[in-house]
């Protein structure tokens, strides 16, 4: 197979790693008319590169195109096949694999070559590598967030590169060509310098965590009210109709998931696949990083934090089962759907679907406000040159969190580009104020009905907390001074003070 490598053809773009994402990205670039070098290491996975070649042939025939994908399993031949300045996209797992791969390519790379790390890497690792490569050989490392999953990678993802101006200009023709398009506008922007691209993608994923949790909580609430899969699927489809403020990619796929038939029915029990899926959510790190970075910056992101912690709770299935057995013996079950009692002993009606919809929109606004605030604060600290309007713009198509709400966000950010928090912009302050009552009603309903809704609850408490010029933290600061002499500030005088409280 190695004899097939190269064929003397100069390649315009390289993709290192032929897993699912790598293959789709290589085929995407090739379908835009570029000659693509495709590499996979020469071990038990080397057939991936030949699989990519076969896919290029089959898809090209099907679409009437010639997709030029040139296979390699030798690093030296792969790098040398690329036109200068070389442009290489790494589609490999984050962490040590990236360091090892860069080290293996380094002898064959030259000044002004561009290497893109397209994984979900922690931004500080990207900054470290970018600095080292520039010092060693003046090679430009790009930390690029890629959103859209496997299908987006093939047909058009949202791309968030953080890099030097030289790297952006070298990559721009390829990235604009391969990205998703919204009304002809490519879903890619030069996010900023250094690790800005990976940081923005990390926060994007944090917002994604929150949005997925909001939808899961709405699903739990509607199910507790007695709705079946078909009815819930219909509700979600209604929320996703054209013109709906709740329209989004995650809403769309959720509506399909709810009514998807079981593809592996056991014993004739067909039903719906969602009802057979274990309720234990996984996570790969970006949600946790978002929460950690928000904490380091001193920015509240409680919706994202609640969504992360809900995944942790869900993953401990054995503990939850044991707790249920214990709780059911000491605490009565919640009332059946539609039979909750108010303080006068009267039956309390079910929540209206529109009330739940309004609560979801309120929560989504809060999650975006938190995520964009984190990016704003990091940019202030790091000096990356991030433009929040451009970031929100490239989230409008191709990515997992694409949603109609982003149209309003982009419009408002154009008018108020320096505002740190969306909720300070009059349009969003007005929307949140109108929706908050529904959010409170949903939260109270969930609490009384013993339906866990941590992310929706977090949205309401966040709104209440930031909406008060004076809260109860004066007691906390006095406590800190009492036991640790940490000092406190006064409302009526400048400086720091300490009191001998005892």
């Amino acid at each position: 197979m190695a004899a097939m490598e190269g064929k003397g053809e100069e390649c315009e773009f390289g993709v290192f790693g032929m897993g699912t994402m790598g293959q789709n990205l290589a085929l995407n670039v090739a379908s835009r008319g570029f000659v693509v070098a495709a590499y996979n290491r020469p071990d038990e996975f080397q057939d991936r590169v030949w699989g990519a070649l076969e896919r290029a042939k089959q898809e090209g025939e099907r679409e009437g195109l010639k997709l030029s994908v040139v296979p390699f399993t030798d690093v030296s031949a792969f790098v040398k096949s690329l036109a200068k300045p070389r442009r290489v996209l790494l589609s490999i797992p984050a962490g040590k694999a990236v360091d090892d791969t860069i080290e293996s390519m380094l002898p064959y790379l030259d000044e002004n070559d561009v290497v893109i790390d397209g994984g979900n890497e922690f931004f500080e690792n990207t900054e470290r590598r970018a600095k080292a490569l520039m010092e060693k050989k003046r090679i430009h490392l790009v930390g690029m967030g890629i959103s859209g999953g496997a299908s987006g990678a093939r047909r058009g993802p949202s791309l968030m590169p953080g890099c030097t101006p030289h790297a952006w200009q070298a990559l721009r023709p390829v990235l604009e060509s391969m990205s998703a398009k919204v009304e002809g506008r490519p879903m890619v922007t030069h996010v900023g310098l250094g690790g800005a691209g990976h940081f923005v993608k990390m926060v994007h994923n944090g917002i994604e965590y929150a949005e997925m949790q909001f939808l899961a909580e709405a699903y739990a609430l509607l199910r507790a009210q007695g709705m079946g899969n078909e009815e819930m699927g219909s509700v979600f489809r209604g929320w996703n109709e054209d013109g709906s403020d709740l329209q989004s990619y995650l809403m769309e796929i959720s509506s399909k998931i709810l009514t998807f038939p079981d593809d592996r029915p056991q014993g004739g029990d067909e039903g719906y696949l969602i009802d057979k899926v274990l309720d234990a959510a996984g996570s790969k790190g970006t949600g946790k990083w978002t929460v950690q970075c928000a904490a380091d910056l001193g920015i509240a992101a409680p919706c994202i934090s609640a969504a992360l912690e809900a995944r942790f709770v869900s993953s401990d299935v054995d503990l939850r089962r044991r707790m249920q057995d214990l709780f059911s013996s000491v605490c009565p079950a919640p009332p059946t759907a539609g039979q909750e009692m108010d303080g006068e002993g009267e039956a309390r009606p079910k929540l209206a679907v529109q009330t739940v919809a309004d609560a979801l929109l309120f929560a989504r606004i809060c999650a975006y406000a938190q995520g964009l605030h984190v990016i704003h604060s990091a940019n202030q600290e790091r000096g990356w040159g991030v433009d929040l309007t451009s970031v929100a713009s490239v989230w409008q198509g191709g990515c997992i969190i694409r949603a109609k709400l982003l149209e309003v966000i982009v419009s408002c950010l154009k008018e108020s580009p320096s505002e740190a928090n969306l909720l300070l912009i009059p349009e969003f302050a007005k929307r949140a104020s109108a929706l908050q009552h529904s959010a409170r009603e949903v939260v109270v309903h969930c609490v009384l009905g013993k339906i866990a809704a941590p992310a929706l609850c977090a949205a309401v408490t966040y709104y209440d907390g930031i909406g008060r010029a004076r809260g109860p933290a004066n007691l906390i600061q006095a406590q800190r001074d009492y036991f640790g002499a940490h000092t406190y500030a006064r409302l009526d005088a400048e400086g720091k003070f300490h009191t001998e409280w005892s």
Side-chain angles (χ1 to χ4, degrees), residues 119-367:
N120 281 328
E121 182 59 273
F122 188 56
F123 77 99
E124 288 188 344
N125 289 336
T126 304
E127 298 220 310
R128 168 181 59 80
R129 291 172 184 138
K131 182 180 179 182
L133 281 174
M134 184 58 64
E135 290 175 350
K136 284 181 181 178
K137 237 177 174 178
R138 294 196 62 78
I139 293 167
H140 299 256
L141 180 71
V142 179
M144 185 167 76
I146 302 175
S147 181
S151 62
R154 176 62 186 90
R155 299 298 172 187
S158 174
L159 300 172
M160 295 153 260
C163 55
T164 62
H166 164 83
W168 168 239
Q169 291 306 319
L171 293 172
R172 188 170 184 172
V174 180
L175 300 186
E176 289 188 343
S177 180
M178 69 183 286
S179 69
K181 309 295 186 297
V182 173
E183 297 179 349
R185 181 169 52 87
M187 295 292 98
V188 58
T189 187
H190 181 207
V191 172
L193 301 172
H198 276 151
F199 190 93
V200 164
K201 176 53 165 48
M202 174 193 77
V203 176
H204 163 289
N205 285 20
I207 296 171
E208 180 184 308
Y209 271 53
E211 175 68 5
M212 293 171 76
Q213 183 63 26
F214 295 148
L215 293 175
E217 290 172 14
Y219 160 66
L221 174 56
L222 296 178
R223 187 174 58 178
Q225 294 200 147
M227 282 194 187
N229 292 55
E230 292 294 338
E231 189 176 3
M232 286 189 288
S234 178
V235 167
F236 276 55
R237 283 192 297 274
W239 288 341
N240 197 57
E241 288 177 351
D242 287 344
S244 168
D245 287 333
L246 281 175
Q247 186 180 30
S248 71
Y249 172 72
L250 285 169
M251 187 70 76
E252 175 190 348
I253 66 171
S254 298
S255 70
K256 296 176 180 178
I257 289 168
L258 288 169
T259 56
F260 194 86
D262 186 1
D263 56 353
R264 294 184 181 180
Q266 303 294 319
D269 179 19
E270 296 182 356
Y272 300 97
L273 179 56
I274 186 64
D275 297 326
K276 310 294 173 57
V277 176
L278 179 66
D279 59 327
S283 59
K284 290 189 174 181
T286 47
K288 181 175 70 173
W289 293 342
T290 304
V291 173
Q292 289 173 332
C293 288
D296 290 341
L297 292 163
I299 302 298
C303 291
I304 300 171
S305 178
L308 175 68
E309 290 167 1
R311 292 195 185 193
F312 294 158
V313 169
S314 77
S315 66
D316 202 337
V317 177
D318 181 62
L319 177 64
R320 288 191 291 119
R321 287 171 179 165
R322 292 173 61 197
M323 288 290 190
Q324 177 176 292
D325 291 341
L326 174 62
F327 290 176
S328 62
S329 66
V330 298
C331 185
T336 57
Q339 294 300 312
E340 297 91 341
M341 299 298 177
D342 63 17
E344 303 299 322
E346 298 293 328
R348 190 159 53 92
K350 296 179 182 179
L351 285 173
V353 167
Q354 186 57 49
T355 300
V356 182
D358 289 346
L360 281 175
L361 185 57
F362 172 84
R364 182 178 288 177
I365 289 170
C366 289

